[in-house]
Amino acid sequence: MCISTSKQPPATLNAVLLRIRQYALDRAIPMSQLAAEAGLGVNTLRHINSSHWNPTARTLSRLESLMVGDAND
């Protein structure tokens, strides 16, 4: 017997990064403002559009919280 849950599988890191980059692009605001709204330093987002950007889990969490907050408004 297989028990199914309604939980979606976790997103891949690439999917999360793509969603964050698209959010930043859609907002069309300065990176300094985006960083401030997320409670991050501006240098944290300096390479956001680079394939070499390697954000910490804390950075991703803050950006995703900001995105969720905007979606609920």
Side-chain angles (χ1 to χ4, degrees), residues 3-62:
I3 299 174
S4 145
T5 64
S6 62
K7 233 178 165 184
Q8 292 184 357
T12 66
L13 179 57
N14 285 336
V16 171
L17 294 175
L18 180 62
R19 192 169 59 242
I20 289 170
R21 287 177 177 128
Q22 188 61 53
Y23 174 79
L25 184 64
D26 291 346
R27 291 281 310 273
I29 60 174
M31 279 300 137
S32 58
Q33 182 179 341
L34 181 64
E37 289 178 8
L40 301 167
V42 68
N43 284 335
T44 304
L45 302 181
R46 181 178 54 204
H47 298 293
I48 193 170
N49 292 312
S50 166
S51 63
H52 301 290
W53 186 49
N54 189 19
T56 64
R58 176 182 169 267
T59 297
L60 294 176
S61 176
R62 287 185 177 239

